[in-house]
């Protein structure tokens, strides 16, 4: 059977070694342990845990999830137990000797991002940090960090300064005018890798009650519906930067994985598909080498970014 191992080479020259290019997406896989009944989580390329904040966060009021054609809307509000509880209660139960575990972090200021990175930098069991810049900057009137290149750069620089030797992955929002320009700004600020895309802002309403389906009114759209947008964004970003790009958006099969790698992704994250079938990510990992052999793909890195556009 084909070896699907991939190496993600960070900007600082270090590498994140993955036994396969399939990771869990933050916010869709809990803290990892929740999926142990459905498969061997040690076989994943990497586990990215749900977003962590400095203090516990209750999240948004209910209802905060709504099904849509070909996907779902969520406004969970980044509910989590806080970084200290994660370190003491969750991280020790993860198979960190078998699979890289990556912490996704979010905050409302550069200072908070720096504090979070500093706390996690000392955790030997963590392989990397993923920075969610789709958060509002309270000091700037709620403008999202991920929609302003200068704000995004300040976050990346602060996290890098406090992250020790851990690679820093920056998760980009598609809710921007030019995602390639945002990617260039992030790379220039010192990001080691980029993951994209985060959810697309959307809403759903009920014509009978005349109310929105989410208490938050708007939420993040994810699932197969956003895959064409995600592919376009990954392709544009991969052409614009030299650092590894991790593709996210509607991935639910080995074929989807290869599509993202074809347009330039070095690895992928599986998210919404895990809600409909919690065994999906394990099936994809099993199917990927079979599909590669069927297509005559002997090396994923040689296959990556070989889209024929002319």
């Amino acid at each position: 059977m084909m070896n699907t191992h991939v190496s993600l080479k960070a900007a600082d020259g270090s590498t994140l070694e993955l036994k396969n290019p399939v990771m869990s997406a933050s916010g869709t896989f809990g803290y990892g342990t929740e999926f142990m009944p459905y498969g061997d989580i040690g076989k994943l390329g990497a586990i990215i845990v749900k977003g962590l904040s400095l203090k516990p966060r209750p999240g948004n009021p209910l209802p905060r999830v709504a099904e849509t054609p070909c996907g779902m809307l969520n406004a969970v509000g980044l509910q989590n137990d806080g970084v200290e509880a994660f370190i003491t209660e969750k991280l020790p139960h993860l198979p960190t000797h078998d699979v890289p575990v990556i912490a996704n972090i979010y905050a409302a200021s550069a200072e908070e991002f720096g504090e979070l990175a500093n706390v996690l930098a000392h955790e030997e069991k963590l392989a990397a940090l993923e920075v969610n810049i789709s958060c509002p900057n309270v000091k700037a009137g709620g403008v999202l960090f991920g929609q302003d290149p200068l704000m995004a750069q300040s976050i990346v620089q602060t996290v890098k300064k406090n992250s020790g030797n851990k690679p820093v992955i920056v998760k980009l929002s598609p809710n921007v005018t030019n995602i390639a320009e945002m990617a260039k700004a992030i790379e220039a600020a010192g990001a080691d890798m980029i993951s994209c895309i985060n959810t697309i802002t959307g809403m759903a309403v009920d014509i009978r009650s005349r109310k929105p389906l989410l208490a938050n009114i708007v939420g993040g759209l994810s699932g197969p519906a956003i895959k064409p947008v995600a592919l376009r964004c990954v392709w544009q970003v991969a052409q614009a930067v030299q650092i590894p790009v991790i593709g996210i958006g509607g991935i639910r099969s080995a074929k989807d994985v290869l599509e993202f790698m074809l347009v330039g992704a070095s690895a992928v994250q599986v998210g919404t598909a895990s809600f409909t079938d919690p065994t999906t990510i394990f099936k994809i990992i099993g199917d990927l080498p079979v599909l590669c052999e069927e297509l005559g793909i002997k090396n994923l890195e040689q296959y990556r970014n070989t889209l024929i556009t002319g």
Side-chain angles (χ1 to χ4, degrees):
M1 191 66 71
M2 175 191 166
N3 183 356
T4 53
H5 175 273
V6 295
S7 296
L8 305 188
K9 297 179 181 178
D12 63 3
S14 64
T15 60
L16 188 58
E17 303 292 343
L18 312 181
K19 62 186 67 172
N20 62 70
V22 186
M23 310 174 172
S24 62
S26 177
T28 65
F29 209 69
Y31 294 104
T33 53
E34 296 91 330
F35 280 75
M36 285 180 173
Y38 304 105
D40 182 358
I41 63 173
K43 291 184 177 178
L44 271 64
I47 296 171
I48 304 182
V49 301
K50 69 189 304 180
L52 302 171
S53 53
L54 275 174
K55 303 296 181 183
R57 184 180 170 106
N60 289 330
L62 300 172
R64 51 193 190 182
V65 175
E67 189 174 356
T68 65
C70 297
M72 64 177 280
L73 280 167
N74 94 82
V76 173
L78 297 163
Q79 175 187 355
N80 75 104
D81 297 337
V83 67
E84 293 297 341
F86 167 72
I87 290 170
T88 59
E89 300 169 17
K90 310 295 183 182
L91 187 57
H93 300 291
L94 291 172
T96 52
H97 55 286
D98 292 328
V99 57
V101 174
I102 299 170
N104 177 286
I105 61 174
Y106 71 94
S109 69
E111 293 78 13
E112 277 186 40
F113 270 110
E115 282 187 64
L116 264 171
N118 186 260
V119 170
L120 294 167
H122 304 291
E123 294 303 317
E124 293 182 3
K125 291 184 176 181
L126 283 177
L129 303 180
E130 182 182 61
V131 184
N132 178 5
I133 57 173
S134 301
C135 312
N137 180 359
V138 176
K139 294 181 181 178
V143 177
L144 295 183
F145 292 113
Q147 293 177 342
D148 183 303
L150 293 179
M151 284 187 191
Q153 285 187 318
S154 74
I155 298 301
V156 174
Q157 289 165 350
T158 300
V159 172
K160 281 293 294 180
K161 195 179 298 182
N162 289 278
S163 61
N165 62 355
K166 299 194 187 306
V168 173
I169 306 164
V170 181
K171 190 171 186 177
L172 295 186
S173 168
N175 303 310
V176 293
T177 304
N178 190 327
I179 196 168
E181 288 304 313
M182 183 63 73
K184 288 178 183 178
I186 293 301
E187 181 181 39
D192 295 297
M193 304 172 199
I194 288 172
S195 56
C196 62
I197 56 176
N198 209 328
T199 56
I200 297 175
T201 305
M203 67 182 292
V205 298
D206 182 344
I207 61 171
R208 299 189 185 282
S209 67
R210 303 187 195 179
K211 293 181 178 180
L213 295 187
L214 298 175
N216 196 60
I217 304 177
V218 298
L221 177 65
S222 62
I226 74 166
K227 183 183 154 193
V229 177
L231 279 170
R232 182 265 297 173
C233 288
V234 168
W235 178 67
Q236 290 178 325
V237 169
Q239 308 311 305
V241 300
Q242 299 299 311
I243 55 178
V245 179
I246 301 165
I248 321 165
I251 297 168
R252 52 180 177 169
S253 70
K255 174 178 174 290
D256 293 332
V257 174
L258 290 182
E259 287 182 17
F260 274 86
M261 297 193 80
L262 180 61
V263 300
S266 294
V268 301
Q269 295 177 21
V270 176
T272 301
S274 293
F275 289 120
T276 54
D277 179 356
T279 67
T280 298
I281 195 166
F282 306 106
K283 291 175 181 173
I284 292 173
I285 290 168
D287 291 344
L288 184 59
V290 177
L291 181 57
C292 286
E293 289 196 4
E294 180 185 317
L295 296 175
I297 300 170
K298 294 182 172 58
N299 183 299
L300 285 174
E301 179 55 32
Q302 289 177 3
Y303 174 79
R304 187 185 68 81
N305 205 21
T306 57
L307 183 71
I308 300 169
T309 58

